Amino acid sequence: MSTVVFRVAKIKTKSAAQGKTKHNYRLMDTPNADAERTATLNKEYINSGQVDYWSLAEARIEEGIAKTARGKPRTVRDDQVRAVEIVLTASPEWFKRGPDGQAEDMRASKWVADNLEFLKKTFGEKNVVSFTLHQDEKTPHIHAVIIPLTEKGHLSADKIFNPETLKD
């Protein structure tokens, strides 16, 4: 029986954002990734310039954060979650495999398109700032970076990513 994977990880610091950027764009050594497959099978659907996640978060927050009653932008606390990384995949047996054991190419698949559409619909199109398909490891998977801005322009990972909303 196949299992769906939906992993959520908060990004609170610039160093955490930079580490995830380097890993996801293969700017650092990734021992379980096949370098030959990285260039040909991995694909970035949203952040094709591979801008670092911290810069993407800061820009989106500045653009989308609500103003206070006095017309000034709300302040963002140093300890606030700036972004959330979501990893989407399934158990290895769910993916069709070729004779060499490699999963078939998912770049133009309904699975990728449906996941991207789901994230945009659920979290807001502007809040999905990166969406990367990795196929250079055994099992294809997606890394997406979401900025947790509410519809009212509040930065709040707690309102968007909590047990109730994740269950839904």
Side-chain angles (χ1 to χ4, degrees):
M1 183 165 130
S2 298
T3 304
V4 171
V5 176
F6 186 96
R7 189 190 79 200
V8 176
K10 295 176 182 177
I11 302 174
K12 291 174 108 175
T13 65
K14 187 174 185 176
S15 63
Q18 290 171 333
K20 289 182 183 301
T21 301
K22 288 177 183 175
H23 171 78
N24 292 347
Y25 294 127
R26 303 303 196 228
L27 303 173
M28 62 187 285
D29 184 42
T30 307
N32 58 330
D34 179 349
E36 290 180 21
R37 294 172 56 84
T38 298
T40 57
L41 292 174
N42 288 359
K43 182 174 179 180
E44 176 62 49
Y45 291 79
I46 292 180
N47 182 28
S48 58
Q50 297 184 353
V51 176
D52 73 274
Y53 297 155
W54 190 258
S55 296
L56 291 172
E58 292 293 297
R60 177 64 187 123
I61 291 165
E62 186 176 323
E63 172 192 34
I65 200 159
K67 296 185 188 284
T68 64
R70 295 183 180 165
K72 295 181 181 179
R74 294 183 182 274
T75 57
V76 177
R77 295 186 325 269
D78 288 342
D79 66 341
Q80 233 172 324
V81 174
R82 300 294 204 288
V84 174
E85 180 187 43
I86 296 175
V87 177
L88 301 154
T89 190
S91 49
E93 68 273 6
W94 184 82
F95 294 93
K96 293 178 185 166
R97 304 214 172 247
D100 62 355
Q102 293 292 334
E104 68 180 29
D105 188 356
M106 301 299 289
R107 288 177 291 182
S109 70
K110 184 174 177 347
W111 176 74
V112 169
D114 286 351
N115 275 293
L116 180 55
E117 183 60 30
F118 164 76
L119 292 176
K120 287 178 177 181
K121 184 178 175 185
T122 304
F123 302 110
E125 186 167 353
K126 287 185 173 185
N127 292 335
V128 181
V129 297
S130 180
F131 186 90
T132 309
L133 171 65
H134 280 174
Q135 298 189 103
D136 57 357
E137 298 177 46
K138 181 179 180 179
T139 303
H141 57 280
I142 296 163
H143 292 268
V145 177
I146 312 296
I147 309 307
L149 281 169
T150 68
E151 289 181 6
K152 293 183 179 180
H154 297 246
L155 185 64
S156 181
D158 290 342
K159 285 186 179 173
I160 296 173
F161 295 96
N162 60 58
E164 178 91 10
T165 60
L166 290 173
K167 186 174 67 174
D168 286 345

